[in-house]
């Protein structure tokens, strides 16, 4: 388990660092079939913005660049539905330029988003992730608990720890950006404290 700022990270499906609420959500929604040549991790982020604002960004399979800082462009092929494929252009500075990704799950009732990488010029083979978004109260105001988990093949020449560390770093950047964008929207929305609603 690793705790940094307000992130909690647990590798390879351990759950030692999460509270009861997080553990329940993880057991319910974040199930990955992890093989010996793969690594897996789960990250948690608390965001000071209501769940509807956060979900409005997370669910946009066609516009990941709204909060993902490493995405420069995205083109979705066909209608936006389960099985849709997007071609993502990655900004310079990462060891990739493109990624082809398929929408695996989009549940607007439960706030669950799942995607799988199916191609591209990178080393994230068989990458699959699940993001869930849950309402919570932070400092007396509506907030959001975001949980993101993934599984990916460990590339030749790398260890499980190195692979997890790299992917976790990318996800942490994405979650920080998601928090920044969502919290900015929440300030504009002027959400009232819970006890005043």
């Amino acid at each position: 388990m690793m705790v940094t700022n307000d992130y909690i990270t647990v590798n390879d499906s351990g759950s030692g660092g999460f509270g009861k609420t997080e553990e329940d959500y993880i057991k319910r929604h974040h199930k990955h079939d992890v093989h010996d040549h793969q690594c897996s991790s789960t990250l948690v982020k608390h965001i000071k913005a209501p769940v509807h604002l956060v979900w409005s960004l997370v669910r946009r399979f066609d516009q990941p660049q709204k909060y993902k800082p490493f995405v420069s462009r995205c083109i979705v092929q066909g209608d936006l539905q389960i099985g849709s494929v997007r071609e993502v252009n990655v900004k310079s500075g990462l060891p990739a330029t493109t990624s082809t990704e398929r929408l695996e799950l989009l549940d607007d009732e439960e706030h669950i988003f799942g995607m799988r990488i199916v191609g591209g010029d990178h080393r994230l083979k068989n990458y699959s992730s699940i993001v869930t978004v849950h309402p919570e109260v932070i400092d007396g105001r509506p907030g959001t608990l975001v949980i993101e988990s993934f599984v990916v093949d460990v590339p030749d020449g790398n260890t499980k720890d190195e692979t997890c560390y790299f992917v976790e770093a990318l996800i942490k950047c994405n979650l920080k950006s998601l928090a920044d964008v969502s919290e900015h929207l929440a300030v504009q929305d002027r959400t009232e404290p819970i006890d005043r609603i």
Side-chain angles (χ1 to χ4, degrees), residues 5 7 29-30 46 49 78 91 104 142-143 153 167 185 194:
N5 280 340
Y7 298 98
H29 301 296
H30 294 266
H46 299 274
K91 291 183 179 176
E104 299 282 304
D153 289 0
V167 177
L185 289 172
I194 295 289

Side-chain angles (χ1 to χ4, degrees), residues 124-176:
L124 298 178
K125 304 300 179 210
N126 293 313
Y127 179 90
S128 178
S129 74
I130 298 170
V131 179
T132 58
V133 176
H134 312 276
E136 67 176 354
V137 177
I138 301 174
D139 299 331
R141 295 184 180 273
T144 303
L145 168 66
V146 179
I147 303 173
E148 184 161 357
S149 62
F150 71 88
V151 62
V152 66
D153 289 0
V154 175
D156 290 339
N158 290 97
T159 67
K160 284 186 178 187
D161 285 345
E162 290 167 339
T163 304
C164 267
Y165 182 81
F166 173 75
V167 177
E168 287 167 358
L170 290 177
I171 291 174
K172 286 177 184 178
C173 286
N174 289 340
L175 291 176
K176 182 187 181 317

Side-chain angles (χ1 to χ4, degrees), residues 10 18 31 72 92 116 129 134 142 170 174 187:
V10 176
F18 298 117
K31 297 174 185 157
S72 62
S92 63
R116 176 178 300 277
S129 74
H134 312 276
L170 290 177
N174 289 340
V187 168

Side-chain angles (χ1 to χ4, degrees), residues 58-70:
V58 170
R59 74 172 310 281
R60 293 304 303 262
F61 181 73
D62 58 333
Q63 294 184 0
Q65 67 273 25
K66 284 197 176 274
Y67 77 91
K68 292 187 175 186
F70 301 113

Side-chain angles (χ1 to χ4, degrees), residues 98-101 116-122 124-125:
T98 63
S99 182
T100 306
E101 303 168 355
R116 176 178 300 277
I117 294 180
V118 295
D121 65 345
H122 51 73
L124 298 178
K125 304 300 179 210

